[in-house]
Amino acid sequence: MSIRELSEQEIIRRSSLNKLRELGIDPYPAAEYKITHSTEQIKKEFEGNNETSFDVVIAGRMMSQRIMGKASFAELQDESGRIQLYVNRDEICPGEDKTLYNEVFRKLLDLGDIIGVKGFVFKTQMGEISVHVKELVVLSKSIRPLPVVKEKDGHTFDAFTDPEMRYRQRYVDLIVNPQVREHFKKRTLVMNTMRQLFNERGYLEVETPILQPIPGGAAARPFITHHNALDIPLYLRVANELYLKRLIVGGYEGVYEFSKDFRNEGMDRTHNPEFTVMEIYVAYKDYHWMMNFTEEMIERVALALHGTTQVQVGDKLIDFKRPFKRISMLDSIKEHTGIDINGMDEVQLREVCKKLDIEVEASMGKGKLIDEIFGEKCEGSYIQPTFITDYPKEMSPLCKKHRDNPELTERFELMVNGKELCNAYSELNDPIDQLERFQEQLRLSEKGDDEAMFIDMDFVRALEYGMPPTSGMGIGIDRLVMFMTNQPSIQDVLFFPQMKPEKKPLELSEEEKTVLKLLKESSPVNLSELKEKAGLSNKKWDLAIKALGKHQLAKVQKEGEDLTVSYLG
């Protein structure tokens, strides 16, 4: 636990806040501030018009300040970048009253404060495009100091780089690390590029339920909640597949959705319990068509972001130029292990796992065993984009049987840099077969597989009305953005990743603060001596020392004949 105390800077800033109010300046005005340009637009327009001056109104954070007598410089940052401000006392205070410059700008404004300025653009003798300020207003006073990032001779000092702080306080990360803002702009560009392709083909963007009575569409452990009015359990969706396919039954021939999905599973550098998936379903297509479509989509995304299909991912150069390599799952396992598992039953697969030193659980059926073999021995080998095709039937309860081998399914996963990027099928549209597959999942659940799918009888009923031959594909947007922006962790491409609860500051009583302050000055200290210095009544002393002990800030122990108190903070 930590004790929340105002720092010296916070105390000074709060004092400045009060002084602004005393001067009649509202530090948080409500009125619209009409901006004419961004910092980026100013630089482009100035350079594009042969450096001809023009008037501007801009707003943003003051990120640096150099006081130089009657004239000073500052740096203003908005969403698009930074620009230098030139602030002259007699320009912003044309009358006798120089308070705005002498008191407000020089003494009461701090780094991080949001200001608005009116003026004109010019270039300084040092050649820097700047704004000559004619008017200045305070738009929002910052009462907590920003981390100060310093640069000298091309080197950065005191950068805000601690992941725990960056992810928990993303707002600060975005202020002081402009490259982070660029990563998230690219994330939006990824999704917009995909939407553009889908819309060109005439596919319909839709929305499906997040709260579902049955968490279907994926083998995953769901989050569960309770609806009070209906008095029923509900689940946060693990996938949106079954609802999208209901829409294909209903007559749409192409639907897609960018959805938030939720899985109550582990967290690591590539998994967050809340994540973004794009799923698309197109009628009268199969998984061969979907492979070609997926190649086109990802190649287009790479070109939109980088102007090339070659993307740096860690120390590897990944080329997303189509076509991608294709290999069946069983051929991949045979290639990497030398073992042909085609036609093996569960007992034989367990023997293979034992031979390959792969740990398995009793609850695992054939599908999970094959998945473990592939994951342990094959998956990490596929660095360049590779389609793994034709998965065993037991691994794919929503997928159509392979047209040439009924033991397999028409399914592919795209592997990139040793990780799965997307998953796609020729969708199962035989309602009788689908019900049997669901029932097999129920048997796995009874064996202890807590990721086995639920039986969704309404979905089976929808298939009974007839679903046309359809191909569907789901792709993890977070992982795609990780690849496209060369970020090693999913937390770097989520604005607000899931975090462990933040330790809340302790709220101490005045008596506890008094004793703690004395302990910080001298520890360990004789208990009687400390009590005397604290000057508290017996009751208040007892309450204070017991509370500090409970909070593990102080410890009372016996030394010889005396009792001493030690500070543990």
Side-chain angles (χ1 to χ4, degrees), residues 318-555:
I318 309 293
D319 194 344
F320 291 100
K321 184 175 179 59
R322 51 180 166 162
F324 302 161
K325 177 182 176 181
R326 304 179 186 193
I327 185 173
S328 75
M329 172 171 273
L330 298 187
D331 285 345
S332 174
I333 291 174
K334 185 176 180 179
E335 181 180 289
H336 287 90
T337 67
I339 301 173
D340 186 356
I341 65 169
N342 189 25
M344 286 188 179
D345 60 21
E346 184 176 324
V347 174
Q348 292 170 312
L349 287 170
R350 288 186 180 278
E351 285 300 314
V352 171
C353 290
K354 184 177 180 180
K355 181 179 179 181
L356 296 175
D357 294 322
I358 298 173
E359 292 186 12
V360 296
E361 298 176 6
S363 63
M364 290 180 175
K366 281 183 64 176
K368 282 286 184 77
L369 294 171
I370 294 170
D371 196 31
E372 285 295 311
I373 295 170
F374 178 79
E376 288 287 326
K377 300 299 180 181
C378 310
E379 187 173 271
S381 302
Y382 296 107
I383 304 304
Q384 297 301 323
T386 303
F387 289 118
I388 306 298
T389 69
D390 305 339
Y391 283 49
K393 182 177 67 175
E394 294 79 7
M395 294 180 65
S396 313
L398 298 169
C399 186
K400 184 172 286 190
K401 289 178 183 177
H402 198 282
R403 65 197 74 177
D404 299 322
N405 185 345
E407 294 300 309
L408 303 178
T409 58
E410 296 197 349
R411 173 184 176 184
F412 72 79
E413 288 186 332
L414 177 60
M415 298 293 165
V416 178
N417 201 32
K419 298 288 184 182
E420 173 205 339
L421 180 56
C422 74
N423 188 19
Y425 313 150
S426 293
E427 300 295 334
L428 178 57
N429 60 344
D430 179 341
I432 296 173
D433 189 3
Q434 181 64 84
L435 180 57
E436 291 173 353
R437 304 273 195 99
F438 277 148
Q439 289 169 339
E440 174 59 27
Q441 289 289 301
L442 179 60
R443 286 189 285 271
L444 291 174
S445 178
E446 290 168 349
K447 284 178 64 176
D449 186 348
D450 58 5
E451 292 184 351
M453 290 189 191
F454 289 52
I455 296 180
D456 188 337
M457 292 306 300
D458 179 69
F459 177 66
V460 174
R461 179 170 57 192
L463 292 185
E464 290 173 346
Y465 283 99
M467 185 176 84
T470 298
S471 184
M473 182 266 291
I475 183 167
I477 297 300
D478 308 315
R479 191 167 292 179
L480 177 60
V481 175
M482 286 172 63
F483 290 148
M484 289 295 171
T485 59
N486 194 17
Q487 296 303 304
S489 171
I490 192 171
Q491 285 86 357
D492 289 309
V493 299
L494 299 174
F495 272 128
F496 304 106
Q498 191 65 47
M499 305 286 290
K500 291 181 180 178
E502 186 174 8
K503 293 181 179 179
K504 295 183 179 180
L506 288 176
E507 295 292 338
L508 300 183
S509 68
E510 290 303 317
E511 292 80 10
E512 291 159 14
K513 290 178 182 178
T514 299
V515 176
L516 193 63
K517 182 180 179 182
L518 292 171
L519 267 179
K520 287 180 178 180
E521 294 171 355
S522 177
S523 175
V525 61
N526 182 276
L527 184 141
S528 299
E529 180 183 336
L530 180 63
K531 181 180 178 182
E532 184 177 344
K533 286 183 178 179
L536 302 175
S537 67
N538 289 336
K539 183 177 181 179
K540 288 184 176 180
W541 164 260
D542 288 341
L543 291 173
I545 201 68
K546 286 178 181 177
L548 293 176
K550 180 180 179 182
H551 296 317
Q552 298 184 337
L553 293 172
K555 182 179 181 181

Side-chain angles (χ1 to χ4, degrees), residues 63 144-151 156-180 492:
M63 299 301 288
R144 188 186 287 255
L146 291 170
V148 179
V149 181
K150 303 170 186 174
E151 292 186 14
T156 301
F157 302 90
D158 301 325
F160 188 64
T161 57
D162 177 61
E164 171 80 12
M165 297 293 288
R166 288 184 55 236
Y167 304 151
R168 197 177 295 282
Q169 299 182 36
R170 181 66 83 189
Y171 37 87
V172 178
D173 188 31
L174 293 169
I175 294 169
V176 301
N177 292 322
Q179 74 279 6
V180 174
D492 289 309

